[in-house]
Amino acid sequence: MRIPSCGSSCPEMAQNWSLLIVCILSGGSVATLLGSLYFEKGGKSKWLASLVQFVGFVILLPFLLISPKRPLTEEGYQRPNKPSAILLTSIYLAFGVFQAGGDLLSIVGVQYLPASTYSLVSASQLAFTALFSFFINAQKLTPFIINSLVVLLISSVLLVVNTSSSGSSVPKGKYTLGFLCTVAASASAALAVTLAQLFYRKVLKKATFEVIIKLIIPQSLVASCAMVLGLFASGEWKGLRKEMDDYESGKVSYVMTLVWTAIVGSSLRLGQ
């Protein structure tokens, strides 16, 4: 993600980017912990765990009223002719389905990997973002970025090599599956971010907070619908009542874990 140059709007832009950084750092860590807690205490539904990552988009609606209208990018593209409704709908549908698939992969990673391992592997999203941005958005690869990519790659490889000696209770096969799904989820999230930047630049010609939220809300709605369909098609919905009754920390904890996962998931999506 490229930070724009500052003019007279420097204080306002600094606040905006500070908000994004807080959302990414706090949302990512808390979402991982809540996801791990859900499965550790007896949660079993991958579709439900994925669904709650998206349904919290309703809390972003107030941001449409308070979000600054000034573009975040230094180009500040504005054009009178808006994209067609068909084009926007197609893009929202594509983004929503793509995000749903990526999130389902990440849930598999959360289920089978320790929280610390999952967080470290998920950091590979930064590497994928740099790579995709280089090819899609012509983002320059600086020595600092390249060094970070190498460190992330070495760390991820060491995690796989040391699986047998880690003492983890998760079978090696599931651990490897969780690792691969997490890497795939990181790659898909990075690609989604890169394509979103391309969408802002080539289609909308602007990138205000209002525009960003207007992209997040419909794609989250599409992803939520996809997860609901998966929940019913898989038959997992039949066991949700028993899952809540058998949850180790009780029904209230079960509900609050899902509620806060929804809230944090929307915060993380705003930061991305």
Side-chain angles (χ1 to χ4, degrees), residues 189-208:
L191 182 58
V193 170
T194 305
L195 292 177
Q197 292 174 343
L198 184 67
F199 172 66
Y200 298 140
R201 190 174 75 252
K202 296 294 186 179
V203 179
L204 297 180
K205 302 295 185 179
K206 59 181 178 178
T208 64

Side-chain angles (χ1 to χ4, degrees), residues 50-51 54 92-93 95-101 103 217-229 269:
S50 298
L51 173 62
F54 294 100
Y92 293 151
L93 287 172
F95 269 116
V97 174
F98 189 75
Q99 291 270 26
D103 196 78
I217 290 176
Q219 76 177 23
S220 296
L221 177 60
V222 171
S224 298
C225 293
M227 292 303 176
V228 170
L229 289 176
R269 219 160 296 283

Side-chain angles (χ1 to χ4, degrees), residues 120-133:
L120 181 56
V121 178
S122 294
S124 62
Q125 179 180 339
L126 300 175
F128 286 116
T129 300
L131 184 63
F132 292 141
S133 295

Side-chain angles (χ1 to χ4, degrees), residues 51-67:
L51 173 62
V52 295
Q53 296 282 347
F54 294 100
V55 294
F57 69 87
V58 292
I59 68 173
L60 299 179
L61 294 175
F63 283 90
L64 292 177
L65 301 177
I66 64 176
S67 61

Side-chain angles (χ1 to χ4, degrees), residues 33 35-43 113-115 247-248:
L33 292 175
S36 297
L37 178 65
Y38 168 76
F39 288 108
E40 287 177 1
K41 297 300 181 178
L113 295 180
Y247 199 68
E248 291 183 14

Side-chain angles (χ1 to χ4, degrees), residues 112-114 117 162-172 174-175:
Y112 294 143
L113 295 180
T117 303
N162 293 330
T163 301
S164 59
S165 60
S166 62
S168 174
S169 58
V170 180
K172 187 175 181 179
K174 291 185 176 181
Y175 187 98

Side-chain angles (χ1 to χ4, degrees), residues 4-11 13 70:
S5 59
C6 291
S8 58
S9 60
C10 236
M13 291 170 64
R70 182 173 298 168

Side-chain angles (χ1 to χ4, degrees), residues 4 11 37 56 82 102 135 142 144 169 171 188-189 192 201 205 234 238 264:
L37 178 65
K82 294 183 179 180
F135 288 106
T142 65
F144 176 77
S169 58
S188 66
R201 190 174 75 252
K205 302 295 185 179
S234 65
K238 298 178 182 179
V264 173

